[in-house]
């Protein structure tokens, strides 16, 4: 594997497109080799299982206002039969996994060089089905940010923008006794999701007017840290994995202009992380129960599985994720 700094010599500087080969559809999920999956399976000691998905509609109203409530309908053909269907099912409205077609780079397009005009409703390139077919399984590692700040006696507020840099990630890992093995899946607990779902609807509406969250800093050093640690997937319990809103960024583009609607991705880590490095990203994962167990036994590694919907050309999906300890 080339280092992140060596990727600067790529045809598209800072991209991994040449690492995994032309036409690649998996990105960093390629790092989950059979040998690494088999080794990770040996982490299962007690057989305890932890659901990492929040329920559908758990984050209603959705903080950005762009994804609406899912409607669940049940019907019966006779007294002893039940069937159901969904309407308005936004695949990234709750715990989610972003496919590689989700976010592109303003200069270079989508992962592998897919042009923006080719990433349309008729295209299936980079869709979530690729990960559904390959399967996602391996060693998961949890970094528990609120507990680390509390241990250090530092103030922490999950309703504020706190940009977590590579130095902080290293400090949390040392505090928890975490080492890295390559091909790991990083779960970042910020406390944002458990705080949001505990609010009433009225409190959520008020909070969404001032929504902020801790998360990864928009720094090139974070890209270097994730790539050089060979992280196969990074997921958080916050809306974007990265800090929100963007305060300082290494990724501003001079030609950026606010979109007509939706989230302004200017300066966001999403662009280089997904489009250039091809990294799998998950958001709004349910990490509170797993974090409590890790804190109780001092073991922050586990076997992790993630099975997105086999929706051909899908842009996102609930992760259907489980941690086994």
């Amino acid at each position: 594997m080339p280092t992140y700094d060596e990727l600067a010599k790529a045809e598209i500087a800072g991209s991994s497109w040449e690492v995994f080969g032309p036409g690649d559809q998996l990105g960093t999920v390629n790092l989950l080799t059979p040998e690494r999956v088999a080794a990770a399976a040996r982490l299962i000691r007690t057989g305890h299982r932890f659901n990492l998905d929040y329920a559908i509609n758990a984050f209603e109203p959705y903080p950005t206002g762009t994804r609406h409530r899912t409607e669940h309908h049940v019907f019966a053909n006779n007294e002893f039969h039940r069937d159901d269907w969904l309407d308005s099912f936004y695949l990234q409205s709750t715990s989610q996994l972003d496919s590689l077609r989700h976010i592109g780079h303003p200069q270079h397009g989508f992962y592998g060089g897919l042009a923006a005009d080719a990433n349309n409703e008729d295209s299936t390139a980079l869709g979530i089905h690729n990960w559904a077919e390959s399967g996602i399984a391996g060693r998961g590692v949890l970094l528990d940010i609120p507990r680390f700040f509390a241990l250090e006696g530092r103030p922490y507020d999950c309703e504020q923008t706190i940009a977590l840099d590579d130095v902080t990630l290293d400090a949390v890992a040392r505090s928890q006794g975490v080492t890295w093995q390559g091909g790991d899946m990083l779960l970042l607990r910020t406390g944002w999701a458990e705080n949001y779902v505990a609010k009433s609807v009225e409190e959520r509406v008020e909070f969404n007017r001032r929504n902020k969250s801790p998360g990864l800093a928009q720094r090139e050093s974070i890209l270097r840290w994730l790539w050089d640690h060979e992280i196969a997937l990074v997921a958080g319990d916050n809306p974007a994995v990265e800090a929100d809103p963007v305060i300082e960024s290494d990724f501003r583009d001079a030609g950026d202009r606010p979109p007509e609607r939706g989230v302004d991705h200017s300066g966001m880590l999403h662009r280089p992380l997904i489009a250039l490095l091809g990294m799998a990203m998950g958001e709004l994962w349910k990490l509170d129960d797993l974090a409590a167990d890790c804190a109780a036994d001092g073991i922050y590694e586990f076997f992790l599985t993630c099975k997105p919907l086999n929706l051909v050309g899908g842009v996102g999906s609930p992760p259907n994720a489980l941690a086994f300890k």
Side-chain angles (χ1 to χ4, degrees):
M1 287 284 290
T3 66
Y4 179 78
D5 288 338
E6 288 170 339
L7 293 181
K9 303 174 184 176
E11 183 177 352
I12 302 299
S15 80
S16 67
W17 300 355
E18 298 171 19
V19 176
F20 301 122
D24 175 58
Q25 299 287 298
L26 299 181
T28 54
V29 169
N30 282 294
L31 300 174
L32 299 172
T33 63
E35 295 78 13
R36 284 171 168 171
V37 175
R42 293 192 283 272
L43 295 174
I44 302 175
R45 302 174 179 89
T46 66
H48 290 163
R49 303 176 298 278
F50 298 88
N51 164 46
L52 305 183
D53 285 36
Y54 279 99
I56 303 298
N57 291 330
F59 297 95
E60 178 66 22
Y62 197 78
T64 63
T66 55
R67 296 163 181 161
H68 308 297
R69 184 178 184 85
T70 299
E71 298 177 5
H72 180 212
H73 306 275
V74 178
F75 70 94
N77 290 333
N78 60 64
E79 182 181 1
F80 299 105
H81 164 266
R82 299 294 182 273
D83 209 331
D84 56 357
W85 81 95
L86 297 176
D87 280 331
S88 186
F89 184 17
Y90 285 74
L91 296 169
Q92 298 177 69
S93 63
T94 182
S95 302
Q96 63 192 263
L97 187 67
D98 295 341
S99 80
L100 295 180
R101 70 178 299 190
H102 176 49
I103 295 290
H105 192 280
Q107 296 176 353
H108 307 299
F110 291 79
Y111 179 72
L114 179 67
D117 59 2
N119 189 1
N120 53 47
E121 287 191 8
D122 297 325
S123 172
T124 63
L126 307 179
I128 203 76
H129 64 285
N130 293 291
W131 289 337
E133 292 173 357
S134 72
I136 297 176
R139 179 179 184 248
V141 174
L142 175 79
L143 294 185
D144 193 335
I145 305 303
R147 282 188 171 88
F148 171 76
F149 272 65
L151 183 65
E152 293 282 297
R154 296 163 58 183
Y156 184 83
D157 185 349
C158 66
E159 294 190 1
Q160 297 300 316
T161 305
I162 303 173
L164 306 169
D165 58 17
D166 56 311
V167 175
T168 302
L169 298 182
D170 284 334
V172 178
R174 283 195 304 271
S175 174
Q176 296 178 179
V178 165
T179 58
W180 306 99
Q181 299 179 6
D184 300 319
M185 291 182 276
L186 169 62
L187 304 186
L188 188 72
R189 176 179 175 255
T190 69
W192 189 95
E194 59 207 74
N195 178 66
Y196 190 83
V197 299
K199 293 178 181 293
S200 67
V201 172
E202 293 75 19
E203 288 171 333
R204 294 180 186 188
V205 170
E206 184 279 327
F207 176 68
N208 289 343
R209 299 191 189 103
R210 56 180 176 85
N211 182 23
K212 298 179 180 179
S213 77
L216 296 177
Q218 288 84 10
R219 295 296 188 194
E220 188 177 36
S221 57
I222 286 291
L223 296 182
R224 181 179 293 105
W225 191 97
L226 292 169
W227 180 262
D228 288 348
H229 282 77
E230 295 187 27
I231 299 299
L233 178 153
V234 57
D237 63 349
N238 59 344
V241 181
E242 55 189 291
D244 183 50
V246 178
I247 298 175
E248 297 182 26
S249 175
D250 292 339
F251 312 116
R252 296 285 187 191
D253 187 274
D256 280 348
R257 59 185 183 276
E260 294 180 5
R261 61 189 178 93
V263 175
D264 185 355
H265 294 104
S266 176
M268 287 187 67
L269 197 64
H270 268 61
R271 287 177 170 177
L273 197 57
I274 295 177
L276 298 186
L277 294 185
M279 188 162 291
M281 291 184 71
E283 299 160 359
L284 297 175
W285 285 29
K286 189 179 188 302
L287 303 180
D288 50 343
D289 293 337
L290 175 62
D293 191 82
C294 292
D297 66 11
I299 299 173
Y300 289 84
E301 61 176 358
F302 36 85
F303 185 62
L304 175 64
T305 64
C306 176
K307 183 61 170 70
L309 296 175
N310 196 353
L311 175 63
V312 176
V315 176
S317 169
N320 300 311
L322 287 170
F324 301 80
K325 291 189 74 177

